[in-house]
Amino acid sequence: MARPTLFITRLLPQPVMDAIPTHYQMLTEPVDRPATAKELHCGFSQADAVICTLADFIDASLLSCTTKLKIVANYAVGYNNIDLSAAAERGIIVTNTPDVLTDATADLTWALLLAVARRIAEGDAWIRTGNWTGWTPTQMLGADITGKTLGILGMGRIGQAVAQRAAGFRMSVLYAGRHAVSSPPGLSWTRQSLDTVLTHSDFLSLHVPLIDTTHHLIGQRELVRMKPTAFLINTSRGPIIDESALLSALEARTIAGAGLDVYEHEPTITPALRSLPNVVLLPHLGSATLETRVRMGLICLDNIAATLEGRSVPNRVN
Ligand code: DGY
């Protein structure tokens, strides 16, 4: 019997590569750079199963070259990079990697929040210049976090994990989202309108998926509603924010700062953002811990095995 063919668009952490069942035939050895259009076409046209990343755009045209593809396992929780209906029309299952990256992404959200409020990256850069001459009472004053109000847009798994961590800082939590969620025992999260969350938050963190209605959810209209002392944190998807409106708000200091892990036109970043002191920029590291990235890969392999063996597919999204 022919072995199932697997196409992986990009090198995954070694423990995942080592876990690929030996009875699969790898179409190519994955490399650590984006696959070219030609490589994607070649892989998709011959594979039974594909593992792709959020940087691969799997549109109707690419899917039209498939001949026997049964599953696209997206190595991410977000799947805005895949045309789900085009896949469904061809009977191709699409899966994602929920749950396993919730804590890593929530932790990174807090790392950004702390970094921008307490000027961590700025301080580190200053020390490295060799020009620091010692402590002064007025040096690099940041903003308090403890006791402030955290606003969350999108109270799904990651939004809730971010909110839980706020308890350690005795923060009030407001959120706007499609569904009301129950606060864990001892915590009190308050659901409010988008405008109320915007106007009352000292820190606003974004955790909505990228869909048509969340594209530019935060633009000029929303930014002007935020407090001039507020910080905006984004570890969801770049196009949720209108990056040029954000740049104007940061330059004019109509908000105090931003912590960004994702960008509207990733990996291109609005160049002027790089020279602003009141912004901390990370290269899309939300799920980037070894343990998490291994778990994500193992989930992709589980979904592929379930599909190829005709079992129920755990993380199907279409
Ligand atoms: C995801 O899984 O959607 C994350 O953005 C990856 O880091």
Side-chain angles (χ1 to χ4, degrees):
M1 211 172 67
R3 292 191 294 159
T5 46
L6 176 61
F7 174 54
I8 302 184
T9 63
R10 188 119 193 200
L11 184 67
L12 301 176
Q14 198 55 47
V16 182
M17 300 306 298
D18 293 342
I20 296 171
T22 49
H23 65 276
Y24 291 173
Q25 185 196 336
M26 294 282 285
L27 282 177
T28 53
E29 258 335 290
V31 284
D32 198 9
R33 59 158 174 77
T36 63
K38 193 171 165 200
E39 286 164 342
L40 285 175
H41 184 275
C42 194
F44 272 73
S45 62
Q46 296 177 62
D48 290 296
V50 167
I51 300 180
C52 66
T53 73
L54 56 86
D56 302 311
F57 290 94
I58 316 302
D59 57 12
S61 143
L62 178 59
L63 290 166
S64 70
C65 77
T66 59
T67 54
K68 54 179 185 157
L69 184 63
K70 293 169 195 65
I71 171 167
V72 176
N74 203 37
Y75 185 72
V77 67
Y79 41 85
N80 53 289
N81 56 314
I82 303 179
D83 184 334
L84 291 190
S85 25
E89 272 166 30
R90 297 182 166 270
I92 299 168
I93 291 172
V94 177
T95 62
N96 70 342
T97 62
D99 300 318
V100 292
L101 48 68
T102 299
D103 286 322
T105 308
D107 292 347
L108 190 93
T109 302
W110 274 93
L112 267 177
L113 188 158
L114 291 160
V116 70
R118 298 302 306 271
R119 307 177 63 175
I120 304 289
E122 249 184 294
D124 179 82
W126 187 17
I127 289 281
R128 287 168 198 269
T129 63
N131 295 331
W132 182 54
T133 51
W135 188 90
T136 86
T138 55
Q139 197 170 82
M140 293 202 64
L141 305 184
D144 273 344
I145 296 160
T146 299
K148 296 276 184 76
T149 297
L150 173 65
I152 295 187
L153 301 187
M155 202 58 146
R157 284 176 285 246
I158 298 173
Q160 290 182 48
V162 170
Q164 274 164 0
R165 285 154 174 74
F169 293 91
R170 300 193 300 278
M171 295 176 90
S172 314
V173 175
L174 302 179
Y175 72 95
R178 276 181 299 177
H179 307 289
V181 300
S182 339
S183 315
L187 301 183
S188 168
W189 301 339
T190 311
R191 187 173 180 220
Q192 293 286 2
S193 66
L194 172 63
D195 275 2
T196 304
V197 176
L198 290 170
T199 50
H200 286 78
S201 298
D202 297 302
F203 297 91
L204 179 67
S205 192
L206 309 182
H207 300 288
V208 290
L210 177 58
I211 50 176
D212 289 347
T213 51
T214 59
H215 182 263
H216 284 189
L217 179 66
I218 302 297
Q220 198 211 353
R221 175 198 166 278
E222 290 71 31
L223 289 161
V224 296
R225 281 169 170 68
M226 290 176 66
K227 297 181 187 179
T229 49
F231 295 88
L232 177 63
I233 313 295
N234 191 11
T235 55
S236 58
R237 285 290 181 268
I240 309 282
I241 297 179
D242 175 345
E243 207 163 278
S244 94
L246 174 61
L247 175 66
S248 306
L250 289 166
E251 283 176 336
R253 298 259 176 181
T254 61
I255 66 169
L260 305 176
D261 187 40
V262 288
Y263 305 89
E264 185 168 358
H265 304 290
E266 227 167 285
T268 303
I269 297 174
T270 301
L273 280 176
R274 292 201 293 258
S275 52
L276 292 181
N278 54 338
V279 59
V280 175
L281 306 170
L282 294 181
H284 203 147
L285 296 179
S287 63
T289 69
L290 177 61
E291 298 95 321
T292 298
R293 290 281 169 86
V294 170
R295 286 192 293 261
M296 289 165 65
L298 298 181
I299 286 193
C300 291
L301 292 175
D302 280 350
N303 282 301
I304 289 173
T307 302
L308 298 181
E309 290 160 21
R311 291 184 277 113
S312 141
V313 181
N315 307 107
R316 184 173 186 162
V317 294
N318 68 337

